[in-house]
Amino acid sequence: MKLKLTDLVNSQGTLEFNFSVGDISLEEINPVTIGIQLKLNIQQSGPNFKITGTANLILTEMCDRCLDNYKLDIKAPFSIFVTTQKSLKPGFSESDVILLETNQRDFNLGPTVHDAILLERSIKNLCKEDCLGLCSNCGVNLNNGYCNCASKKIDEKWASLIEINFSHSE
Ligand SMILES: [Zn+2]
Ligand SMILES: [Zn+2]
């Protein structure tokens, strides 16, 4: 996922392009489409660039609660500082910066996008906020309709109560 510095300079502030999931090593995910759409905002200050952007793609995920597959529309935000200056201002961690050699003309945005997607993905692992999950007794997906377990449990309680009452009265 190489970007050229001249692309940044000529971008006039925004860049949009698509690339394939295969360009970054994302074996952990299960994409619905192989394309990742990138939208970048670029601010230049001398030889330095600040890139903020989002990576958009759609994944197939498994819900933690009901174990159903669902489509997750990911819009992963990221920002990175591209510079040749080794003396970085404090406050930048290594993952915030792509450090270039003085004669370097391109750089790889892949790791940044990779991390942004994985971070965004780990936040959401439910098919919906109010997923009802599976019945712990019969395993029915309660999003698709209720099972009879809840009413059966009440019946069983009544049955044992009646038995107790009988044994007392004898
Ligand atoms: Zn679910
Ligand atoms: Zn049930």
Side-chain angles (χ1 to χ4, degrees):
M1 241 209 92
K2 286 265 170 89
L3 276 179
K4 291 197 186 85
L5 285 183
T6 50
D7 290 341
L8 298 187
V9 174
N10 298 329
S11 67
Q12 302 192 327
T14 55
L15 265 184
E16 271 187 43
F17 59 99
N18 294 297
F19 68 98
S20 157
V21 174
D23 284 0
I24 52 178
S25 46
L26 271 173
E27 292 90 5
E28 308 92 331
I29 64 167
N30 191 4
V32 174
T33 52
I34 57 155
I36 299 180
Q37 188 194 25
L38 272 195
K39 289 184 181 176
L40 305 180
N41 267 301
I42 295 136
Q43 289 169 272
Q44 186 178 1
S45 144
N48 307 315
F49 298 90
K50 189 186 180 213
I51 302 176
T52 51
T54 50
N56 302 332
L57 80 161
I58 299 170
L59 303 179
T60 302
E61 293 280 357
M62 193 174 75
C63 175
D64 280 351
R65 217 178 269 167
C66 71
L67 309 181
D68 242 7
N69 285 337
Y70 67 101
K71 285 193 172 76
L72 179 62
D73 199 347
I74 288 212
K75 288 181 171 49
F78 58 89
S79 66
I80 192 98
F81 197 61
V82 181
T83 182
T84 50
Q85 291 172 327
K86 285 199 170 66
S87 56
L88 295 167
K89 289 176 207 143
F92 279 120
S93 75
E94 208 176 300
S95 60
D96 295 327
V97 177
I98 296 174
L99 190 60
L100 304 180
E101 298 298 325
T102 345
N103 55 357
Q104 200 176 331
R105 290 287 165 261
D106 55 21
F107 62 93
N108 186 5
L109 199 58
T112 307
V113 173
H114 173 274
D115 292 354
I117 290 172
L118 287 193
L119 185 69
E120 185 69 10
R121 178 184 173 241
S122 63
I123 297 168
K124 300 164 187 162
N125 45 13
L126 293 180
C127 61
K128 52 187 178 188
E129 292 275 335
D130 58 348
C131 171
L132 297 171
L134 303 176
C135 170
S136 56
N137 192 44
C138 71
V140 152
N141 185 341
L142 297 172
N143 296 308
N144 301 333
Y146 290 96
C147 58
N148 293 321
C149 295
S151 54
K152 247 186 223 164
K153 259 185 196 159
I154 292 168
D155 287 348
E156 278 162 21
K157 259 188 201 161
W158 272 112
S160 56
L161 271 181
I162 290 162
E163 265 171 41
I164 291 164
N165 285 342
F166 267 123
S167 57
H168 273 284
S169 63
E170 269 171 27

